[in-house]
Amino acid sequence: MEDKGLICCKCNKKLEPKTTHFTYLGHSFSTEILKCPVCGEVFIDEELVKGRIALVETELEDK
Ligand SMILES: [Zn+2]
């Protein structure tokens, strides 16, 4: 993942990319999201998640 240098506004710590699993419409997929190593606050890149969901929806339509 591109390092955007985001900082947790609560802890003032640099966010670290962490692979997280999502389940959507019965499909599971994993993507990297930025997470604060101290408080565990996650910062989801909405565009990225929407992109992955759109991909899953396309796969479902193909069946
Ligand atoms: Zn934090």
Side-chain angles (χ1 to χ4, degrees):
M1 176 182 271
E2 186 185 341
D3 187 351
K4 291 172 186 166
L6 289 172
I7 304 285
C8 178
C9 56
K10 291 180 196 165
C11 316
N12 212 29
K13 288 276 181 185
K14 192 160 173 273
L15 302 178
E16 296 175 350
K18 177 129 184 123
T19 302
T20 302
H21 294 271
F22 291 90
T23 304
Y24 182 76
L25 293 176
H27 273 241
S28 61
F29 59 96
S30 62
T31 191
E32 276 194 336
I33 57 167
L34 290 172
K35 188 171 184 178
C36 173
V38 179
C39 69
E41 182 94 58
V42 295
F43 291 77
I44 296 173
D45 186 333
E46 273 187 46
E47 291 304 311
L48 182 82
V49 173
K50 280 180 193 164
R52 292 304 301 263
I53 288 172
L55 226 143
V56 169
E57 285 175 343
T58 305
E59 284 173 9
L60 289 175
E61 282 167 10
D62 284 347
K63 280 176 189 168

